Amino acid sequence: MPVPISKSECCGCSLCAEVCPVKCITMTSDDEGFRYPMVTESSCIHCEKCVKLCPFASKKNLKNTVCESVVCQHEVAEELMKSRSGAAFAICSDWVLQNGGAIYGAVLTPEMVVVHTRAVNSEERDKMRGSKYVQSNIEGLYSSILSDAEKGLVLFSGTACQVDAVKQYFKMAQGNSRNLYTIDLICHGVASPQIFADFIAFAGGKRGKVEKFVFRDKKFGWDSHIATYVIGNMSCQSTLYRNLYNENIVIRPSCHNCHYASLDRVADLTIADAWNVQNVYPSFDYKQGVSLCMANTEKGVQLLEIIKEKSIWETAAIEDFMQNNMRKPTPPGKDREAFWRDYKKKGFRYVLHKYAQKSIWVRLLNAARYYTKRACKIYGK
């Protein structure tokens, strides 16, 4: 039985557990906090449905599916500030809600856990807005998405592997895919829920429970990546969790082997931060956030037209907005193995200090290396 598959090939979408006819597959967390399928071999009937539908097991075409792209910014300033980029997701989901549909996306619960959930009004949908640098759990939602699509419009937003899993489920169940609209993200990789939980516990400490957490607080600018969290009446800022994430040491192993890190997209519409927009279109107030939107299907073009109606937008040439994860997966950080070895032996506080709270001398050394390499490139031309 080929499930569970290698950790370098499992994105944790839980589709295999969902489609198993005898329910012999369950999802369990490993020692890094990522969820993987586990099989009760004595119950398995070897139908291989799990393998046939696994998103990572299927081969991709590896061709450019992007047929039209724009950079955009919501025309309403208040709405723009509620999102981390240009609020393209909000425009698309507003259209679905206005037509009586349902939205599925990632939320941060009051317990500080990132999960996918269902929304049928703007208040519920607004919880899905904003970046969340943690893997979202979509377990148990497949049948609900399918059921909603039988009755009306559905918009599913998530990482490309999650979108692919939902589409595979619809194929298997012969669901009403005409009503299903999908949005994926240009994804750097998903971080360990366990590490995020540890950080929340660390941040609260003796001061109390963290009641709210914003991964990228737009009050400090679209490109600041400063997190804000609230404990009682106290508001705190931090870059420590971001530092761990950016070191590429707490990202899911399969993200370093991502089959979706290309312009061969699986969703109808792909959304990303429009980095470099200030150089291409200086007229944008880019500090307020700008989205790059790429339509990959006819439905994606339809969503793009809806976005244009509610935003300030310009046509985007993909080559002007290319990002690393539009070309290749994020490589593992050089300290990944050391981080997890230290974490298991010495705990979270130790690794947070060692890998995120780096001393000023380490920062200066890294800066010196960066500017030395940059100077060599400039003067080597």
Side-chain angles (χ1 to χ4, degrees), residues 288-324:
Q288 302 304 310
V290 184
S291 293
L292 170 66
C293 301
M294 299 180 289
N296 311 302
T297 65
E298 290 184 8
K299 285 182 185 176
V301 172
Q302 182 184 358
L303 292 176
L304 208 57
E305 292 304 314
I306 293 165
I307 289 171
K308 291 176 182 178
E309 292 175 5
K310 299 292 183 179
S311 68
I312 302 165
W313 65 277
E314 294 285 352
T315 300
I318 293 297
E319 57 269 22
D320 290 332
F321 298 94
M322 284 297 293
Q323 301 168 27
N324 285 338

Side-chain angles (χ1 to χ4, degrees), residues 133-149:
Y133 299 104
V134 186
Q135 180 163 36
S136 177
N137 192 332
I138 65 172
E139 294 171 30
L141 284 184
Y142 290 97
S143 59
S144 177
I145 300 168
L146 185 76
S147 176
D148 277 333

